[in-house]
Amino acid sequence: MKPRIVIVGAGRAGGALALALREVGYEIAAVVSRSPSSARRLAEWVESDRWSDRPEELAPSGDVVILSVPDGAISQVCARIAERGGFRKGQVVAHLSGALPAGVLSPAGEAGAYVLSMHPIQTLAEPKIGAERLRGAYFSLEGDPEALAVGRRMVEDIGGRVLELPEGAKVLYHTALCIASNYLVALADAAMGVLRAVGVEPQEGLQAILPLLQGTLKNLGEVGLPKALTGPIVRGDVDTVRAHLVALSERASEFSELYRTLGRYTVEVARRAGLEEGSVEELSALLAPSGG
Ligand SMILES: NC(=O)c1ccc[n+]([C@@H]2O[C@H](COP(=O)([O-])OP(=O)(O)OC[C@H]3O[C@@H](n4cnc5c(N)ncnc54)[C@H](OP(=O)(O)O)[C@@H]3O)[C@@H](O)[C@H]2O)c1
C-alpha cells in the first residue's frame, strides 16, 4: 500500500509534489500551510478534505510528512510539530531543500521518525506546471535508510529518478546546481553585456543566442563531456582568442576577467577533449589573470 502524505507548506514545490503524487494514486491525507486559504486551495486540487494552519494537528495522519516550507522555516516548523507531539514513531519526515541536510529534521528523529532530504532538481514556478516537470526530473535523496527506501519509491512512482547523496554532501551538491543553473543565467547576461557594446539591444541579443544555448544543451545531452565543447579554445585557435582579449579590453573591459577565468577552465576541458599540450600552454599563458 502506498503511504499517506501530509503536505506542510502549500507553495510552489509542495503543491507540485502533492499534485504529482496524487496523480499516481497517493492519498494526500491533509494539507497544512501558514495561511488556511493556501492550504484549502491545494487540498481541493488534491481531493483532500483536511486542511489547517496548525501542522501538529494534522501531521500524525500521514505516513510521510513533507515539510515544503521555505528553507529558513524548516527547522522552526519541525521543532514546533515535535514540541506539540505531532510526529509519531516510524513516520517519514522529509524536506525539499537543496542546501540543507536531513539532519535539520532532528526533532522529528528524536520523536522516532525517519528523516529525509528529498530535493527535486527542477525549477518549480507554479504547482500545476511544476507537477508535470517533476516527471523525469532527478531528486537527490539523503537521510535515514528507512526513509530513503520510501523516498525512492515516491520518486520512481511519479516518474522521477534518484540521485542518492552521502551524509555531509548537501552544501557542495547545491553549489554544483547553482553553478549549472544560476551561473548559466549570469553567463547569458554577460554575453548580452558584450553584445550591447556593439549596439545589439538585450532583447534581440537574447533571442539571437537562445538557439545557440539550446543547441549547446542538446550537444551536452547527446555527446556529453568533453565532446560537447566547440569553439576557438578546443580548436587551438590562439589568434582568435588573442583577438577576443584585445576587443574586450578596448570596448567591454568589464568582461575581460570573466572571459579569462572561464577561458582557463575551458582550456582544461579542451585538454581532456584532446587539445595538444603546446596549445594548452600557449592558451593558458594568454588567458592568465591580467594583473598577474
Ligand atoms: N520552487 C522551486 O523551484 C523549488 C525547487 C526545489 C526545491 N524547492 C524547495 O521547496 C521548499 C519550498 O519552496 P517553494 O519554492 O515551494 O516556496 P513557496 O512557494 O514560497 O512555498 C512555501 C510555502 O510554505 C508556506 N509556509 C511558509 N512559512 C510557513 C510556516 N511557518 N508554516 C507553514 N507553512 C509555511 C507558505 O505558506 P502560505 O502560502 O500559506 O503563506 C508557502 O505556501 C524549499 O525548501 C525550497 O528550497 C523549491
Side-chain angles (χ1 to χ4, degrees), residues 79-284:
R80 168 184 164 159
I81 301 173
E83 273 162 25
R84 299 177 189 194
F87 293 128
R88 55 183 172 78
K89 208 163 179 277
Q91 258 182 333
V92 170
V93 177
H95 71 66
L96 307 180
S97 164
L100 297 174
V104 298
L105 302 172
S106 58
E110 284 154 22
Y114 302 118
V115 297
L116 179 68
S117 146
M118 180 178 171
H119 176 237
I121 310 179
Q122 184 52 283
T123 162
L124 308 163
E126 191 276 330
K128 289 186 180 173
I129 299 168
E132 285 166 31
R133 291 216 174 147
L134 288 178
R135 268 178 235 125
Y138 266 88
F139 284 69
S140 70
L141 301 182
E142 177 259 330
D144 293 330
E146 297 83 350
L148 285 175
V150 175
R152 178 176 285 279
R153 186 172 164 208
M154 289 193 291
V155 170
E156 289 174 352
D157 280 346
I158 64 173
R161 287 184 276 179
V162 169
L163 182 70
E164 215 170 285
L165 295 176
E167 202 185 332
K170 280 300 290 285
V171 176
L172 209 49
Y173 150 84
H174 194 243
T175 307
L177 304 189
C178 171
I179 292 173
S181 174
N182 308 157
Y183 286 12
L184 182 63
V185 175
L187 279 181
D189 190 79
M192 295 307 93
V194 176
L195 283 176
R196 205 177 300 124
V198 289
V200 178
E201 288 305 319
Q203 261 323 92
E204 199 183 4
L206 183 58
Q207 291 311 313
I209 68 158
L210 267 180
L212 173 67
L213 285 169
Q214 284 156 353
T216 307
L217 290 178
K218 214 157 174 279
N219 286 347
L220 275 169
E222 285 169 3
V223 300
L225 282 166
K227 276 192 173 168
L229 184 62
T230 60
I233 290 183
V234 75
R235 282 198 302 269
D237 189 349
V238 180
D239 288 342
T240 299
V241 175
R242 187 178 292 110
H244 288 175
L245 286 168
V246 172
L248 281 173
S249 70
E250 289 172 357
R251 303 181 69 176
S253 59
E254 65 273 35
F255 297 102
S256 289
E257 280 315 310
L258 181 67
Y259 184 92
R260 286 175 186 276
T261 302
L262 286 172
R264 291 195 297 279
Y265 191 83
T266 306
V267 171
E268 289 309 313
V269 182
R271 186 206 294 260
R272 296 200 328 260
L275 181 65
E276 56 164 51
E277 274 314 302
S279 300
V280 167
E281 277 172 29
E282 218 176 332
L283 284 163
S284 299

Side-chain angles (χ1 to χ4, degrees), residues 8-15 32-39 53 55 67-71 73-74 76-77 80 95-99 118-125:
V8 180
R12 287 173 277 242
V32 183
S33 209
R34 188 175 44 189
S35 69
S37 60
S38 300
D53 58 357
L67 303 184
S68 44
V69 296
D71 287 17
I74 291 171
Q76 180 200 334
V77 171
R80 168 184 164 159
H95 71 66
L96 307 180
S97 164
M118 180 178 171
H119 176 237
I121 310 179
Q122 184 52 283
T123 162
L124 308 163

